[in-house]
Amino acid sequence: MKRDRVEIERVEEIIAKAGVQFINLQFTDIVGVVKQVTIPVSEWKIAVDYGIWFDGSSIEGFARIAESDMYLVPDLSTFAVIPWESEGLVTARCICDVYTPKGEPFVGDPRYVLKRVVAEAEEMGFAYYTGPELEFFLFRPGPDGTPTTNPHDLAGYFDVSTDLAHNVRRQMVKALNGFGIAVEAAHHEVAVGQHEIDFRYGPAVTTADNAVTLRVTLKAIAQRNGLYCTFMPKPVAGIAGSGMHTHQSLTYKETGQNAFADPYDEYGLSTIAKQFIAGQLAHARGMSAVIAPLVNSYKRLVPGYEAPVYISWARINRSALIRIPRVHPNRPESTRIELRCPDPSANPYLAFAVMLAAGLDGIRKQMEPPPPAEENLYEIDSARTRLQTMPRSLDEALNELEADEVIQAALGNHVYERYMEA
């Protein structure tokens, strides 16, 4: 197995300097739950040279017993010491790709699914960048330690507070920095007990890795502070739910220029960007079960809480499915679109894969988006808008996925079939 000697030496230096004793080899199942195999540091060289074998038959959506043997290949660029396990039994983690005994990427590995669709974009001359914004709630556990929906604070959007949650957010940012994740902002969100931490925009596979790491990190730091962190989309009725608004753009691989930018357009968007938008709108219902995967997800996608219901796009309208954030006139390279329907319970690898596939389909077919809908859609009679709505339930979303061949192809037969079963 060919490895970059510089990367190997970099990791070996970290292991020696930090006194690493154990390494968690991490991956996700198809619904996005993080799994891991822990090895003593003495086995690290074997993991790097040959991979570590494991039984895939017990992993959600992976393999049947008859084809269970698989192995994990560490992605050395993701190696980091776990900040809250940096004393005593020092432990590191490394995100892995899953391979079959034949040495081929496993088609059921969500990370591979995203890599495959990213490769399709690269064949078309594009690199895909994303910036997910994950919202979450911090709740007090009950007397017996079980989670409740009792929020720790009474603060609101961007409020300044001196309670425990304010301190916990800073601990979370510090821990994420320990993983090499550059956090850009952390703040209180709209609902009581609701928060958001945003990290730097980047290549889709990297930001999917970071989103998975963020969820694990935030849960661990909350637990160490006697709180419970949840990414459930709508844990409490009557207040705002949690989204994973995802900023997206394509750049030209040869030049690195933003393929979405056109300073002469009213919205600052190129033809490529508008085709990408049209593709995502066309497949919004088909990809809904992947980007909003829980029964609970559809309790969030209702009018009145800035969660999108109508399949539309606009600049300033936060009720639209796709919003076009304003950019500084001197920074056209920051042109992007924001998809507002994903929620943080989604598997980021599969979510980004279907989002990209939908956009690329729009480019291939030269689709044109409908006119932008700048008015507040919640205040308009639904019959008068003539706009399609997002599915109202997971059952409806799964039916739409069954009818969308483009989204199925993005997932691949293996993941699609097992995702439907899951």
Side-chain angles (χ1 to χ4, degrees):
M1 188 180 300
K2 290 187 66 176
R3 288 293 196 176
D4 184 337
R5 173 48 56 181
V6 173
E7 273 290 277
I8 292 175
E9 291 176 354
R10 181 187 71 84
V11 171
E12 288 176 347
E13 185 177 339
I14 293 172
I15 290 173
K17 187 174 181 180
V20 173
Q21 299 176 57
F22 295 93
I23 301 166
N24 296 336
L25 305 180
Q26 293 185 345
F27 59 103
T28 73
D29 65 12
I30 64 167
V31 295
V33 175
V34 174
K35 305 291 183 180
Q36 68 184 27
V37 174
T38 301
I39 60 172
V41 72
S42 58
E43 297 295 301
W44 175 245
K45 189 176 187 307
I46 294 173
V48 172
D49 291 344
Y50 306 105
I52 295 294
W53 292 87
F54 75 104
D55 178 5
S57 64
S58 299
I59 306 299
E60 180 74 76
F62 263 40
R64 295 181 293 270
I65 292 176
E67 53 187 36
S68 61
D69 286 340
M70 295 178 189
Y71 64 98
L72 300 172
V73 176
D75 180 338
L76 301 184
S77 68
T78 68
F79 189 96
V81 176
I82 299 173
W84 57 92
E85 296 188 18
S86 59
E87 298 178 3
L89 298 175
V90 180
T91 305
R93 78 91 213 259
C94 197
I95 295 174
C96 297
D97 294 303
V98 183
Y99 281 76
T100 69
K102 294 181 179 179
E104 300 169 345
F106 173 49
V107 294
D109 176 12
R111 197 168 191 253
Y112 170 71
V113 170
L114 176 56
K115 284 185 172 183
R116 180 171 47 77
V117 184
V118 165
E120 292 178 16
E122 291 175 346
E123 289 176 6
M124 296 172 64
F126 301 114
Y128 181 48
Y129 285 75
T130 59
E133 301 173 346
L134 284 82
E135 297 169 338
F136 59 96
F137 280 87
L138 292 176
F139 292 128
R140 296 177 186 270
D144 60 353
T146 57
T148 72
T149 54
N150 180 22
H152 179 272
D153 63 72
L154 297 175
Y157 197 42
F158 286 139
D159 278 358
V160 176
S161 63
T162 57
D163 56 26
L164 177 60
H166 172 62
N167 186 43
V168 170
R169 279 204 308 270
R170 290 181 293 174
Q171 292 178 44
M172 291 171 169
V173 171
K174 183 178 179 181
L176 291 170
N177 288 339
F179 281 112
I181 298 174
V183 173
E184 293 188 327
H187 61 85
H188 200 285
E189 259 296 336
V190 175
V192 292
Q194 188 183 33
H195 308 267
E196 179 176 312
I197 293 178
D198 302 331
F199 53 81
R200 189 167 295 164
Y201 202 70
V205 175
T206 299
T207 53
D209 288 342
N210 289 347
V212 169
T213 300
L214 180 142
R215 292 194 305 203
V216 171
T217 300
L218 269 52
K219 282 181 173 290
I221 299 300
Q223 186 177 32
R224 291 169 69 88
N225 284 273
L227 297 175
Y228 178 74
C229 173
T230 179
F231 294 93
M232 191 176 188
K234 190 81 166 183
V236 181
I239 62 175
S242 293
M244 186 177 71
H245 306 154
T246 303
H247 295 254
Q248 310 165 81
S249 66
L250 296 177
T251 63
Y252 291 110
K253 276 191 65 63
E254 287 190 3
T255 65
Q257 290 183 313
N258 191 323
F260 280 5
D262 180 355
Y264 301 105
D265 178 75
E266 177 186 3
Y267 284 79
L269 297 175
S270 67
T271 299
I272 290 291
K274 292 177 181 177
Q275 292 171 347
F276 192 93
I277 289 170
Q280 290 202 333
L281 294 179
H283 294 288
R285 289 175 62 84
M287 64 182 179
S288 184
V290 180
I291 59 180
L294 303 181
V295 170
N296 182 260
S297 298
Y298 297 87
K299 300 181 187 299
R300 168 182 169 258
L301 297 177
V302 296
Y305 299 96
E306 289 194 359
V309 175
Y310 294 100
I311 298 175
S312 60
W313 70 285
R315 172 179 286 161
I316 59 175
N317 186 1
R318 291 181 180 271
S319 63
L321 196 75
I322 294 176
R323 189 177 74 91
I324 313 303
R326 291 186 183 273
V327 300
H328 193 282
N330 296 327
R331 294 190 62 204
E333 70 276 4
S334 64
T335 300
R336 62 202 185 280
I337 69 172
E338 178 191 16
L339 186 67
R340 295 178 61 80
C341 48
D343 70 53
S345 67
N347 183 328
Y349 299 111
L350 298 186
F352 295 170
V354 299
M355 288 157 54
L356 176 56
L360 294 180
D361 190 53
I363 295 172
R364 290 191 185 100
K365 294 176 180 174
Q366 299 183 345
M367 296 181 185
E368 293 187 11
E374 292 293 4
E375 64 272 24
N376 187 339
L377 298 173
Y378 300 148
E379 297 177 358
I380 296 177
D381 185 280
S382 58
R384 190 156 59 86
T385 67
R386 297 182 180 177
L387 293 173
Q388 274 192 307
T389 61
M390 290 294 285
R392 290 183 169 85
S393 67
L394 180 58
D395 182 58
E396 185 180 342
L398 290 170
N399 289 336
E400 291 292 334
L401 176 55
E402 281 187 301
D404 195 318
E405 294 181 356
V406 170
I407 302 304
Q408 290 177 32
L411 296 174
N413 288 336
H414 180 102
V415 169
Y416 165 66
E417 292 174 0
R418 286 157 179 79
Y419 192 85
M420 293 294 287
E421 291 172 5

